[in-house]
Amino acid sequence: MEVLRPQLIRIGGRVYRKNPIQEQTYQHEDEDDDCYQGLVECAEESCEGYEVVQTPQGFRCTLKAPSLLYKHIVGKRGDTRKKLEVETKTSISIPKPGQEGEIVITGQHRSGVISARTRIDVLLLTFRRKQPFTHFLAFFLNEAEVQERFLKFQEEVLEKCSMDHGVDSTIFQNPKKLHLTIGMLVLLSDQEIQQTCEMLQQCKEEFIDDISGGKPLEVEMAGIEYMNDDPGMVDVLYAKVHMKDGSNRLQELVDRVLERFQASGLIVKEWNSVKLHATVMNTLFRKDPNAEGRYNLYTTDSKYVFKERESFDGRNILKLFENFCFGTLKLNSIHISQRFTVDSFGNYASCGQIDLS
């Protein structure tokens, strides 16, 4: 990272520069636990978003965070919290591990309390981004007709293209799990799941009903395309999804949902628009049938994992099945689906949903 071009982090409408400071490290110490980054300067010095209460002893500010992230504020042997307290002249109270509650910041000066709160927010955001995705927003695309057509597609591909490099039955999607992803989520507590449900309901009331007209969206799942730029070395092949009436309503709906969740911080901003697609072949399935695409980046202890893949030659598949029709279906529900779970129908377990009709 360049000193003159530090990483920018956006929190609650404000922009912060994340300036690294060289620190002493200890042998066998986890990298995450001594990752305190020192002073975080505010690029836009507006702090009206924090509620700081004056007390007889000084000033007080509280915030909630998933208990899974407490350790990153405490640090090894409590070093991170001590450094925060010394540099901001505050006292920081954190619930015990495994207990949900409020983090309480107190100090004699309002500016010190605000500084501590800002730094804690940056720490929480930094380590939240290192957590593996836990849930995703999606439309399910697993109606009976589509599943049957998908199995027909798989049968014909294996019949006609099995001699092509890397093509075998292990890289096909489970037809019961066909879905259209709107966005990936990191939800670390029951409260965050509830917050996501409430946000989705707000989207329904504020714009989804207007876009859908209170009715399911009738779409067609037809045509195939690949993710990368070399049809001879494909890792992900997907079916395209579009409105049957030719309108842009589905794209508008999912883009506005994505925008709302990005603005709330529940989804990290990577893209400005949702790519309407349903994965039908993925080389990650070759070694792990439960793999879930590009989102397998971190383990539960925040360690980066590189997934080695063997690409397949998709040129004949693209030529022979370019316009393959998987069927039409009516999209009526957006689900908050939990990764690595299966419901009684073989689909991802849903933690909540809204219905369009």
Side-chain angles (χ1 to χ4, degrees):
M1 182 189 299
E2 297 182 22
V3 174
L4 298 180
R5 299 182 62 185
Q7 178 184 358
L8 298 180
I9 296 180
R10 291 170 173 82
I11 300 177
R14 295 184 298 279
V15 181
Y16 301 96
R17 296 191 299 270
K18 182 178 174 184
N19 298 331
I21 287 181
Q22 184 176 359
E23 297 184 25
Q24 181 181 1
T25 57
Y26 300 90
Q27 191 176 7
H28 308 307
E29 199 169 40
D30 287 342
E31 180 182 355
D32 286 350
D33 290 331
D34 65 352
C35 192
Y36 177 66
Q37 295 294 328
L39 179 62
V40 180
E41 298 178 354
C42 185
E44 298 176 8
E45 290 293 343
S46 172
C47 297
E48 289 81 1
Y50 294 151
E51 183 178 349
V52 180
V53 178
Q54 188 166 8
T55 68
Q57 292 77 31
F59 295 88
R60 182 176 185 269
C61 183
T62 62
L63 69 148
K64 291 185 178 180
S67 60
L68 185 65
L69 299 180
Y70 291 164
K71 64 181 180 181
H72 300 302
I73 305 173
V74 175
K76 277 282 185 179
R77 300 179 298 278
D79 288 349
T80 300
R81 174 165 59 182
K82 291 174 185 175
K83 181 171 287 190
L84 279 168
E85 291 177 330
V86 169
E87 294 183 355
T88 61
K89 296 181 173 61
T90 60
S91 176
I92 302 171
S93 175
I94 302 172
K96 294 180 180 180
Q99 296 183 357
E100 299 293 341
E102 290 185 331
I103 297 172
V104 181
I105 308 166
T106 56
Q108 294 185 355
H109 303 286
R110 187 175 187 274
S111 60
V113 171
I114 290 175
S115 178
R117 169 65 189 270
T118 299
R119 300 183 193 201
I120 290 174
D121 278 346
V122 172
L123 282 171
L124 290 173
L125 181 60
T126 298
F127 287 104
R128 174 180 287 277
R129 287 180 172 178
K130 291 189 175 185
Q131 301 302 312
F133 292 116
T134 60
H135 299 74
F136 59 96
L137 297 176
F139 285 105
F140 291 161
L141 304 173
N142 57 353
E143 290 188 8
E145 176 195 352
V146 173
Q147 288 195 51
E148 291 175 8
R149 291 291 296 163
F150 172 84
L151 291 173
K152 180 67 174 175
F153 168 78
Q154 178 176 338
E155 178 185 344
E156 292 186 8
V157 168
L158 292 175
E159 179 183 328
K160 299 175 181 179
C161 306
S162 61
M163 298 302 292
D164 295 342
H165 175 77
V167 176
D168 62 50
S169 61
T170 65
I171 62 176
F172 286 85
Q173 173 68 281
N174 180 340
K176 295 179 180 179
K177 290 188 173 183
L178 289 167
H179 63 277
L180 188 162
T181 300
I182 299 174
M184 303 299 298
L185 298 157
V186 176
L187 305 179
L188 303 178
S189 67
D190 291 339
Q191 289 84 352
E192 292 190 346
I193 294 175
Q194 181 60 37
Q195 182 185 356
T196 302
C197 291
E198 293 170 358
M199 178 71 67
L200 200 53
Q201 182 61 37
Q202 291 174 11
C203 291
K204 172 178 168 60
E205 296 170 359
E206 294 178 16
F207 59 84
I208 290 178
D209 284 345
D210 289 339
I211 296 173
S212 68
K215 299 178 181 178
L217 299 178
E218 191 167 359
V219 303
E220 184 176 37
M221 186 170 156
I224 58 172
E225 190 57 85
Y226 58 104
M227 284 290 187
N228 59 308
D229 58 0
D230 184 355
M233 295 285 288
V234 176
D235 283 317
V236 176
L237 190 78
Y238 63 88
K240 294 179 278 190
V241 182
H242 58 267
M243 288 291 297
K244 194 173 181 182
D245 63 9
S247 72
N248 197 43
R249 288 188 297 151
L250 175 59
Q251 187 71 63
E252 180 186 359
L253 188 154
V254 295
D255 283 351
R256 291 190 64 178
V257 170
L258 177 67
E259 181 181 16
R260 177 60 61 85
F261 273 80
Q262 287 175 337
S264 72
L266 287 170
I267 290 180
V268 175
K269 186 169 184 178
E270 292 183 284
W271 319 106
N272 293 323
S273 181
V274 176
K275 188 176 185 67
L276 297 175
H277 73 285
T279 298
V280 294
M281 298 173 71
N282 190 328
T283 56
L284 283 180
F285 299 153
R286 194 187 306 280
K287 293 184 178 180
D288 180 4
N290 295 315
E292 295 173 11
R294 68 182 183 87
Y295 303 114
N296 280 356
L297 296 181
Y298 291 96
T299 63
T300 54
D301 58 354
S302 304
K303 301 301 182 184
Y304 185 81
V305 174
F306 175 73
K307 290 281 187 176
E308 185 178 356
R309 320 169 69 131
E310 179 192 349
S311 301
F312 66 92
D313 186 344
R315 288 174 292 185
N316 283 332
I317 298 174
L318 290 161
K319 180 179 179 180
L320 295 172
F321 301 93
E322 178 182 5
N323 298 310
F324 188 91
C325 182
F326 293 87
T328 60
L329 61 163
K330 294 181 178 180
L331 305 183
N332 191 44
S333 302
I334 299 177
H335 294 265
I336 303 168
S337 299
Q338 185 173 355
R339 299 180 70 209
F340 309 116
T341 62
V342 179
D343 64 15
S344 58
F345 301 101
N347 198 356
Y348 294 101
S350 178
C351 301
Q353 70 181 70
I354 59 162
D355 297 327
L356 275 58
S357 63

